[in-house]
Each structure stands twice: as C-alpha cells, then as structure tokens.
Amino acid sequence: MSGNSSFAALLPADWRGGRFLGRVQLPEGSTPILVEGGIAYDMSRVAPTVSQLVEALPLDASAGRALGPLDELDAPWLSPVDLQVIKACGVTFATSTLERVIEERARGDSSKALEIRARIEERVGGSIRSVVPGSVEAEALKELLIADGLWSQYLEVAIGPYAEVFTKAPVLATVGALAEVGVRSDSTWNNPEPEVVLLVDAGGKAVGAMLGNDVNLRDIEGRSALLLGKAKDNNASCSLGPLVRLFDDSFSIDDVRNAEVDLLIEGPEGYRLEGHSSMREISRDPLDLVRQTLSEHQYPDGFTLFLGTLFAPTQDRDDPGRGFTHKVGDVVTISTPKLGKLVNTVVTSKQAQPWTQGIAAFYANLGARGLLGAKA
C-alpha cells in the first residue's frame, strides 16, 4: 500500500494518455477506480466491484465520482482485481522450461543444479527454442527425448498440445504494488517470476494487462509437481499491479506480444541481480493461452492470466553453484514501459500481513455501504 507520491512513481511515462483500472482502499472500504485523462474516478456507485466494472466496459469514467488527479490521490492502492479467478500459465518460455526440468532432476536440491543445467542445455536447448508446441516437429522431438531418457512432464506442457494452466491464488488473496510478498519460511530455493498478466472478462475477452509476480518455491516444486499448490499458493505469494492498463488506441494486445520486461532484485546485503526478457520469445500466443484457460470452463466474474516467465535467476548469491534464492528484505522491481513498475519487498509468508477479508467479509462491507444495489 502507498500514498500518492510513491505510487505515482510506478506509473508508465504516458499514463495521462491511457485508460487504467484499479482498486483503492478508501476509509469506507475497497473501491474500484477508473482513470481517464489522468483523473481518478470512484466507480463504486456504478459498479461496486472491479469484476462488475469490467463487464460494464466500455464505460465513461465521468459516470463515477471524480477524486482528482491520479498522482495526487492519497489513499492506499490495492491489487487492481477483486472477484476474478487468478489463473497462471507455466513453462511458456524455453529458458524457464529447462529450469523446471532442472528442478525436477535435482529433486529440489539447488547444489545439483549447475551440473544438470549444463547437460540439459547441451542436449535440449536449441531444439526446444525453435519448435512450435503441438506441431509434428514437436512430437518428433518428444519421441527423441523419450528414447534418450530425457523426457519430463514439464517438456510435455512446453511442446505438447496443451498448455499448463493452474490456479495461482484464491479470490481476493492477491497483493498490490509496494506491498510485501511472501515466500514460505521453510523454503531454501526460491525466486520471483516476473510476468505480464492479462485481465479477461466473463465472456473470455482480454480487456487489458498488468504486471505480476508469480512467486515460486523451486525446492518444493522440484521435489514433485504434485506440490505445485504448496510451491505457488502461500500468504502474499501473488502480486499484481500497479494498475490494469485497458486496451484502447494507445495500448493493444500487440503491445503485450512485444513487451520488454525488466527485473531488478536489490538485496539488503548489497546484492543486485538484473534481468531482461522479451515477450516475443513466448512459445504460445497470449490469446491462445486465454483460449486454453477457457477450454470447457466458464468464469462469470472473469479471470486474470499470468502468461509465464522467461526468468529463472541462476546468478550465484552465496555459495558457488547454488544459484539465486531470496532473502528477507529483497526489493523486487518488475517493469515494462507501457505498464509501469511493480515493486514489492520480500518477507516470509508468516511475516506478511495476513489475508483476512474473504468473500463473505467483502460483501458484508459492500452491503453496509449500500452498494449491493449498484448495477453495472
């Protein structure tokens, strides 16, 4: 959470020309916000939840109550979504795919990663970077890898016909920009996963995008893919923000496809790690990932979709060969020009602010404010 000056520093340079959607904590409670022409509007009397606000788009923000210039709004900003289901795609980039295979082979032991990484990269790296998932060439590569004893469940979702799609966090459990993010206190090998995240309405249409940190525990997932829930879903383990940039003439799905994403980790001991990735390297188109998430499912309140990460930091932090893992106090900055910056500080999930407002409490607050009669 933040006041105006620190949050305003996270916005993209052209924020006055874009349309944005977010959520702010006013004294009366969580409030959906639309931003047009640099002005923030309280939309709670038009649509009391972000999910209802999305269904009302396109909507003139002047239908709401003007709160003033966005960069002068002095209120805590929350995660920009509320009732949407939080979905995520895994192993959609070649580099992160290979790192998942390495985790699996190392059984979650970071000391074994260096040797395995060299062997896997030599044998698989070039092939997996060029193959189209689900193609005849992908099937031939699969047969070759099986024959070589190198097949993996992660390679199946990387080059097979079906993408990996999982539920990252419960409804209302995400945190926003400048909040603390949590890693389990018993994890010894973990990392941020900087991603572009789509916002999708109830009809399955992508309406905008934001940044996200799909915090991951490499040691736990590496022991078994059946531990994915424990590795991914913990208190404060999913951040989104700073705002959703809505698709319009200044920002489109092609901007998502061409996004250049930067990662900066600054440790309390002076450690610094920088990374860069291009969404052009994704193996499946973002809208194909939306279609695969929909599949034979419905999302009446919409969903957010993490598109996967290229990053799996391998730069040594302490002991040679053990790669990167978080320390309490790390500041993680994920940025891209059109979406701004998502900044969070790392603590353990035990130390992070507890998640206390579930769906029942959320609706009790809306009812007490007389908002449940508001319709988009």
Side-chain angles (χ1 to χ4, degrees):
M1 297 182 182
S2 71
N4 56 32
S5 60
S6 52
F7 188 85
L10 307 182
L11 300 174
D14 64 341
W15 66 271
R16 289 179 178 84
R19 298 186 75 234
F20 297 86
L21 180 153
R23 195 163 57 104
V24 69
Q25 183 70 32
L26 295 182
E28 57 268 31
S30 167
T31 300
I33 300 291
L34 269 182
V35 179
E36 287 185 358
I39 305 298
Y41 295 84
D42 171 1
M43 306 303 294
S44 60
R45 292 289 168 181
V46 178
T49 69
V50 173
S51 61
Q52 288 174 285
L53 185 55
V54 168
E55 296 310 309
L57 297 174
L59 178 69
D60 188 342
S62 63
R65 177 173 65 99
L67 298 175
L70 173 60
D71 56 348
E72 296 179 11
L73 181 57
D74 190 9
W77 286 87
L78 306 172
S79 163
V81 301
D82 48 34
L83 298 181
Q84 289 86 354
V85 178
I86 311 301
K87 306 296 285 189
C89 295
V91 292
T92 55
F93 289 83
T95 298
S96 59
T97 298
L98 297 180
E99 288 300 317
R100 298 291 87 77
V101 176
I102 290 161
E103 289 166 11
E104 181 183 45
R105 297 267 165 167
R107 299 292 189 267
D109 183 351
S110 62
S111 66
K112 298 178 181 178
L114 187 63
E115 176 186 351
I116 297 171
R117 182 175 296 111
R119 183 162 54 89
I120 295 291
E121 177 67 36
E122 179 182 5
R123 185 65 186 89
V124 183
S127 299
I128 201 170
R129 287 183 176 87
S130 61
V131 73
V132 176
S135 65
V136 173
E137 292 79 10
E139 184 62 26
L141 176 59
K142 174 179 177 177
E143 295 302 321
L144 177 63
L145 293 171
I146 290 173
D148 283 355
L150 290 175
W151 189 242
S152 162
Q153 58 200 332
Y154 294 106
L155 292 172
E156 174 64 45
V157 295
I159 67 176
Y162 301 121
E164 178 190 17
V165 183
F166 59 92
T167 300
K168 166 64 181 179
V171 168
L172 291 173
T174 59
V175 300
L178 301 177
E180 295 175 335
V181 291
V183 297
R184 283 184 61 93
S185 57
D186 57 355
S187 173
T188 59
W189 190 19
N190 47 68
N191 61 264
E193 290 196 354
E195 305 187 26
V196 177
V197 184
L198 293 179
L199 178 62
V200 182
D201 68 15
K205 178 184 177 183
V207 299
M210 68 199 110
L211 293 170
N213 187 350
D214 175 17
V215 180
N216 185 49
L217 310 182
R218 302 189 68 184
D219 48 355
I220 291 178
E221 184 180 357
R223 292 172 196 160
S224 169
L226 298 180
L227 294 173
L228 180 67
K230 188 175 288 293
K232 291 289 190 179
D233 182 9
N234 297 289
N235 184 43
S237 66
C238 180
S239 67
L240 293 168
L243 297 169
V244 177
R245 184 161 191 169
L246 297 171
F247 292 140
D248 60 11
D249 292 342
S250 69
F251 181 68
S252 71
I253 191 65
D254 284 335
D255 288 297
V256 170
R257 292 181 174 116
N258 295 313
E260 302 291 326
V261 181
D262 290 310
L263 169 69
L264 172 63
I265 303 172
E266 298 170 287
E269 81 283 29
Y271 177 86
R272 184 180 179 90
L273 185 151
E274 296 182 65
H276 177 85
S277 73
S278 174
M279 283 292 292
R280 294 187 187 95
E281 296 182 41
I282 198 168
S283 59
R284 302 179 193 264
D285 185 77
L287 294 185
D288 178 56
L289 293 173
V290 170
R291 287 190 288 270
Q292 294 220 26
T293 303
L294 288 164
S295 187
E296 297 181 6
H297 207 313
Q298 296 78 40
Y299 296 90
D301 293 303
F303 63 91
T304 70
L305 184 62
F306 281 76
L307 296 177
T309 185
L310 175 64
F311 292 106
T314 59
Q315 176 182 309
D316 289 338
R317 183 166 197 172
D318 293 317
D319 301 324
R322 295 187 70 90
F324 171 84
T325 196
H326 270 310
K327 292 185 178 182
V328 169
D330 282 352
V331 177
V332 180
T333 301
I334 302 165
S335 61
T336 191
K338 288 282 189 176
L339 297 177
K341 297 179 181 178
L342 177 62
V343 179
N344 299 103
T345 300
V346 176
V347 296
T348 68
S349 291
K350 286 183 177 180
Q351 295 171 326
Q353 182 176 342
W355 171 41
T356 57
Q357 189 183 55
I359 296 172
F362 180 73
Y363 268 92
N365 174 264
L366 296 180
R369 294 157 62 186
L371 296 178
L372 292 184
K375 294 185 178 179

